[in-house]
Amino acid sequence: MGQFGFGISWIAESFYVDAERFAALAIPAVAGLSAGLAIFPAMAAALYAVIAQRRPLGSIAASLLLATCWVATEWLRGHVLTGFPWNLAAYALVDHAALRQPAAWVGSYGLSFLTVLVGVMPGAAYSAVPRQRSAVLVLCAMAIIGLWGAGTFRLGSEAPLPRVDLRIVQGNVPQREKWAPGNRDATLELYLDLSSRPGNVDLLLWPETAFPGFLDEDAAARARITGSLPEGTLLLTGVPDRVESDAGTRYFNTVQAYDSSGEILTGYAKHHLVPFGEYVPFRGWLPFARLTEGLGDFTPGPGPRTLALPGTPLVAVAICYEIIFPGHVVDDLFRPDWIFNATNDAWFGTSIGPEQHLAAARMRAVEEGLPVVRAANTGISAIIDANGDVVARLDTGETGVIDASLPGARAPTPYARFGDWTILVLIVASWSLVYSFGLIRRRLDAEHSRMEEW
């Protein structure tokens, strides 16, 4: 509970954007969510204890059992009740280039398994009987060297560059001001001013809900935008959208693509929505209002989608929160060449939240072998290559643009091909290896006993 209480403390910031309505809920919300999330590591510890009490385990098997229980419940945390896979154990390695690369084979959950396994081994060695301590420490060292060696090997190859010039615009508009009716023109003018700076731009990228309105319904705003775009430049921007149906008006959180004539080329609707931020779960039962401005709850889109834009590599879109879900960002049937993460972390100010969000995006890049490009309203905007390295960034609270070339994509990783099945293979292989060593050790001990008797 302490881990989550600190790790998600940034959520409280969102309650103070509309302080008159929601400030009193900030501390109870963080405490309640932390308590709920703490159930999952508690389940891991309980499961470990139950199994360990029924059958005596050696130090290596005990370490392996705890790592297995941990990753099983961490995976559940990422899926139960729409999931919240925030601050996975693997993210402790995100700033270590070689050590994060194994996520390309086993994903972040698999890397969490290895991280916990290596992390508990020194303690297991300390509590082991003297004749087992050296074996535990040797295995721990071998695991660390193996992780580092495999990661270093992967870093040795480079991805070809697609030669696409990007411009990311970070308007840095405070959340309190963004949706004020009188500020819409000023916000649009700011984005147009930043977008029209000199430079070669093939693709212009604006963040989530950069335009505070229904852009596809606003011909005048589209004319102003396209009038400032150089010929051949495309715009990808986050905007809300609405569709009339027999059941009433449905609202979507989308990214839409426009060409220099103002025509909508294609779009993507966010499918993994934020509970209480974009919709109220069990609305008929829970007497709560959304924390964000809007006319109604958002409707989820159909799922991950790859967009084909003229003259640019295929792109997958992940809006804000969606980038935190391992294995659920890319359309498996139509692989893209890069991922566009349009986000609005303005809700969380200068807290640790945006840095943690960036860490998740970096791990998605490694897992999929694809560059991730982030456009954030108040930061952190960044370009991340397929190895998870941050090529360029604009920090929280900065106003400006990033001009850079799109990094290249790597060949599909094992995790991109097989998803979370690679975790199961890793766990089974680890247990099989330990079991085999155990059989060999028991045979050697038996042989030694027979020799002594003889």
Side-chain angles (χ1 to χ4, degrees), residues 87 91 94-95 353-364 374 384:
N87 287 351
Y91 296 175
V94 72
D95 285 325
E355 286 284 1
Q356 294 174 349
H357 203 180
L358 176 65
R362 294 174 68 184
M363 294 304 293
R364 297 299 85 75
R374 302 189 81 229
I384 305 163

Side-chain angles (χ1 to χ4, degrees), residues 162-377:
R163 299 184 181 275
V164 176
D165 293 323
L166 306 176
R167 170 167 291 172
I168 304 170
V169 180
Q170 183 168 301
N172 194 33
V173 180
Q175 190 62 34
R176 289 184 180 88
E177 301 175 8
K178 186 172 186 177
W179 293 97
N183 291 343
R184 179 179 298 181
D185 287 343
T187 298
L188 179 57
E189 194 61 39
L190 171 64
Y191 273 92
L192 292 178
D193 179 61
L194 293 170
S195 301
S196 59
R197 291 181 178 179
N200 295 324
V201 181
D202 297 314
L203 199 54
L204 184 63
L205 303 172
W206 289 4
E208 180 185 14
T209 60
F211 181 77
F214 301 105
L215 185 58
D216 59 335
E217 301 175 13
D218 193 333
R222 291 203 312 275
R224 291 177 63 188
I225 293 171
T226 56
S228 67
L229 294 180
E231 187 67 29
T233 299
L234 302 180
L235 169 66
L236 272 176
T237 180
V239 290
D241 192 19
R242 60 185 173 189
V243 176
E244 299 295 338
S245 67
D246 294 338
T249 304
R250 294 189 299 161
Y251 298 93
F252 298 89
N253 187 355
T254 73
V255 163
Q256 297 174 354
Y258 292 86
D259 62 15
S260 54
S261 69
E263 293 297 320
I264 300 179
L265 301 176
T266 186
Y268 164 82
K270 186 177 183 181
H271 73 277
H272 215 136
L273 302 176
V274 180
F276 300 103
E278 294 173 311
Y279 76 103
V280 177
F282 311 109
R283 177 171 280 282
W285 296 33
L286 298 178
F288 296 123
R290 277 175 48 199
L291 298 178
T292 58
E293 294 288 343
L295 299 176
D297 285 358
F298 282 111
T299 299
R305 184 184 177 198
T306 299
L307 305 184
L309 303 175
T312 64
L314 299 173
V315 57
V317 178
I319 299 177
C320 193
Y321 179 69
E322 292 181 315
I323 200 69
I324 75 171
F325 291 90
H328 294 277
V329 176
V330 170
D331 183 350
D332 295 330
L333 300 178
F334 192 18
R335 179 174 167 84
D337 299 301
W338 61 292
I339 300 169
F340 175 45
N341 178 210
T343 187
N344 179 23
D345 289 349
W347 287 98
F348 312 115
T350 56
S351 67
I352 58 176
E355 286 284 1
Q356 294 174 349
H357 203 180
L358 176 65
R362 294 174 68 184
M363 294 304 293
R364 297 299 85 75
V366 177
E367 290 169 352
E368 300 293 343
L370 298 174
V372 175
V373 180
R374 302 189 81 229
N377 182 28

